[in-house]
Amino acid sequence: MATPATSVPPSVVVHPVHSLQGDIEVPPDKSISHRAILIGSLAEGRVVVSNFLRADDCLATLNAMRSLGVPIEDTESGQIVIEGVGLYGLEPPMSTIDCGNSGTTMRLLMGLLAAQKFSSRLTGDQYLRKRPMERVIKPLRQMGAQLRGQDGDRLAPIEIEGAPLKSIVYDSPIASAQVKSAILLAGLYCDGKTTVKEPYKSRDHTERMLHKFGVTVEVTELSASVTGPAQLKPAEITVPGDISSAAFLMAAAAIIPGSELLVRNVGLNRTRSGFIDVLKRMGAELSGADVADDGLNEPSGDVFIRGKERLKAVHIGASDIPRLIDEVPIIAVTALRAEGTTVIEGAGELRVKETDRLSALARNLSALDARIEEKPDGLIIPGPQRLRGGAVDSFGDHRTAMAMAVAGLFADAPVTVTDTDCVATSFPDFFKLLREVSVER
Ligand code: S3P
């Protein structure tokens, strides 16, 4: 299946396959890896992180915390050892902190750095510098933070003047774990309770991890609070596999008949597992995902998928989106193999991800002759449809690249995905693993 194209180095040609077969592990969870480094750095003592994701986004967070004076060692045993400096032990960075492509790095750091006694500056790559930052600047300002962005405070680079912060109750207009986490991290430095309310529950890794480090965290269905000033005791963190990475392989196995794939140690936090529910609603044959979730620890399990000839279309609405926000690209591709019309609504947030993912999907799938309708906040995808081969682009976005690679597995002819370096953001060995599980036609 996936062979590197000779003419354009960062392109990959994906050939149609017979099926997928294998017993695999996917990379560690990106969201949890970021938080292990950020929160671990604030602990009072040694924090050992096992199964940390060594991909560009999380390495940006690791380097950022090193530049703030936190000793972090990538040991030969594979564990990351952080000598936590406590809430007040960070040092001023020598230069601008580069968050690369990582929105999580930038937005969470904004919350953390706003509360320091020194100033700092955050920047990112050409994609990150186009993503909205006022969603974090606004609540942090209400807490007393001194931050300034570019272009009317909408964009990075962000200048931060550390200042004493006060706790707030913030009613967030969007369900965003990055916004929520930035406020909760700032809240660690405040006197009293800082609360974030959201319209739908976003991923809760920050809340779970802060609780593990001994912070007073209160959670309701649509709110999360921390009480400061906090003191973080050391803890050990083991990161489960990333369901958002697993989703590409799970979807591919579900829609290619004859496939049998076991994905081991997948994170199954219920604020992240909307994709599994969607596969089930589509009639996919899937087992092992029904693990208990106590809301405190990060649950994981081994998920088995058997391919089926046809799935059923689904309707995905605004309340479903936060639990599968990063899986919409692969759900759109999966919908091409489903009977009926799949409707995805309330997904306007996809327009401000690493690229405009709704537009990228519509353009790429149209280029392969698929019928797909792009709406301001979603997609309409009739099915089943056949795809012709052709060339598609990642638009610099890892999840667009991987979703289109899966399209190539069942198209009538090879699909060339251009500009694939971006998979290093979350899943550096994606094409290698895809080759390993692919059975040729
Ligand atoms: C993330 C939250 C989500 C998600 C992103 C990672 C996180 O973003 O899309 O890939 O780790 O907090 P939003 O908070 O902007 O929805």
Side-chain angles (χ1 to χ4, degrees):
M1 53 76 20
T3 50
T6 44
S7 52
V8 192
S11 298
V12 175
V13 182
V14 180
H15 296 266
V17 295
H18 171 269
S19 63
L20 300 189
Q21 304 287 335
D23 176 343
I24 59 167
E25 282 208 36
V26 289
D29 190 275
K30 181 158 82 70
S31 291
I32 300 174
S33 294
H34 280 299
R35 288 158 172 81
I37 300 292
L38 279 165
I39 297 173
S41 294
L42 306 178
E44 299 191 349
R46 177 170 294 186
V47 171
V48 178
V49 184
S50 301
N51 203 33
F52 169 76
L53 175 63
R54 286 174 188 76
D56 288 353
D57 266 26
C58 299
L59 293 172
T61 294
L62 188 150
N63 288 329
M65 296 317 292
R66 277 185 176 153
S67 76
L68 292 163
V70 183
I72 304 177
E73 200 193 339
D74 194 345
T75 66
E76 272 174 23
S77 69
Q79 290 171 323
I80 301 282
V81 177
I82 307 169
E83 300 298 339
V85 296
L87 226 46
Y88 301 98
L90 298 178
E91 291 168 10
M94 303 286 279
S95 54
T96 298
I97 296 174
D98 186 359
C99 303
N101 188 244
S102 176
T104 308
T105 307
M106 182 169 283
R107 295 191 177 122
L108 270 56
L109 274 178
M110 284 165 71
L112 190 57
L113 292 173
Q116 303 305 316
K117 291 202 168 83
F118 51 80
S119 45
S120 51
R121 185 169 184 272
L122 299 173
T123 193
D125 71 5
Q126 53 161 326
Y127 302 100
L128 185 54
R129 279 186 275 114
K130 291 198 188 92
R131 298 182 61 189
M133 294 298 150
E134 77 277 22
R135 53 180 58 196
V136 184
I137 293 181
K138 189 176 161 227
L140 290 177
R141 276 205 183 132
Q142 285 180 21
M143 300 176 83
Q146 311 276 329
L147 305 104
R148 257 199 348 267
Q150 315 301 310
D151 193 21
D153 287 331
R154 289 190 322 112
L155 304 173
I158 309 286
E159 319 275 347
I160 305 167
E161 200 75 62
L165 304 183
K166 59 176 192 303
S167 58
I168 56 168
V169 176
Y170 186 64
D171 214 337
S172 177
I174 47 172
S176 161
Q178 294 179 357
V179 171
K180 174 174 64 177
S181 302
I183 300 168
L184 295 180
L185 289 177
L188 299 176
Y189 290 84
C190 300
D191 279 330
K193 199 197 273 191
T194 297
T195 299
V196 184
K197 299 180 183 170
E198 31 183 15
Y200 304 107
K201 193 173 187 71
S202 64
R203 64 190 65 188
D204 64 359
H205 304 300
T206 300
E207 297 90 304
R208 291 184 197 223
M209 200 175 290
L210 287 174
H211 171 80
K212 194 167 176 112
F213 280 83
V215 176
T216 305
V217 180
E218 285 166 67
V219 169
T220 71
E221 181 47 32
L222 292 178
S223 79
S225 311
V226 294
T227 298
Q231 214 176 359
L232 278 68
K233 64 174 172 34
E236 291 210 355
I237 303 291
T238 300
V239 183
D242 196 327
I243 190 170
S244 297
S245 296
F248 298 101
L249 294 147
M250 286 167 50
I255 58 182
I256 300 179
S259 298
E260 287 189 331
L261 192 68
L262 179 65
V263 190
R264 293 194 186 267
N265 185 32
V266 186
L268 293 166
N269 176 319
R270 63 172 173 254
T271 64
R272 290 287 298 285
S273 56
F275 170 72
I276 302 246
D277 297 345
V278 163
L279 274 189
K280 286 185 179 163
R281 270 155 61 193
M282 295 179 93
E285 204 177 319
L286 181 146
S287 57
D290 298 320
V291 301
D293 183 354
D294 64 7
L296 297 174
N297 298 292
E298 293 286 354
S300 63
D302 300 343
V303 181
F304 178 74
I305 304 103
R306 183 174 280 123
K308 271 178 101 169
E309 194 63 50
R310 278 276 168 273
L311 299 183
K312 306 192 285 275
V314 275
H315 183 280
I316 296 175
S319 62
D320 298 315
I321 296 293
R323 291 181 63 237
L324 48 72
I325 180 91
D326 294 336
E327 287 65 76
V328 171
I330 189 59
I331 290 171
V333 169
T334 308
L336 296 167
R337 303 279 289 189
E339 198 83 50
T341 297
T342 290
V343 177
I344 301 173
E345 293 176 317
E349 272 292 301
L350 267 84
R351 295 205 180 275
V352 292
K353 292 295 175 189
E354 286 82 331
T355 188
D356 175 343
R357 287 184 175 154
L358 297 180
S359 151
L361 282 163
R363 284 171 68 175
N364 278 339
L365 292 174
S366 301
L368 301 180
D369 265 1
R371 278 168 295 125
I372 174 165
E373 197 183 331
E374 183 183 348
K375 296 283 191 189
D377 72 340
L379 296 168
I380 299 179
I381 308 156
Q385 299 193 53
R386 288 174 69 164
L387 295 178
R388 70 171 180 83
V392 295
D393 190 26
S394 71
F395 297 95
D397 171 37
H398 54 140
R399 301 204 198 280
T400 297
M402 292 186 275
M404 295 316 299
V406 171
L409 299 175
F410 65 87
D412 290 339
V415 169
T416 301
V417 187
T418 60
D419 192 10
T420 53
D421 283 352
C422 53
V423 301
T425 295
S426 62
F427 200 158
D429 286 335
F430 172 72
F431 287 107
K432 181 167 170 274
L433 188 56
L434 194 54
R435 256 196 302 276
E436 283 167 13
V437 296
S438 291
V439 177
E440 280 180 32
R441 269 195 187 162

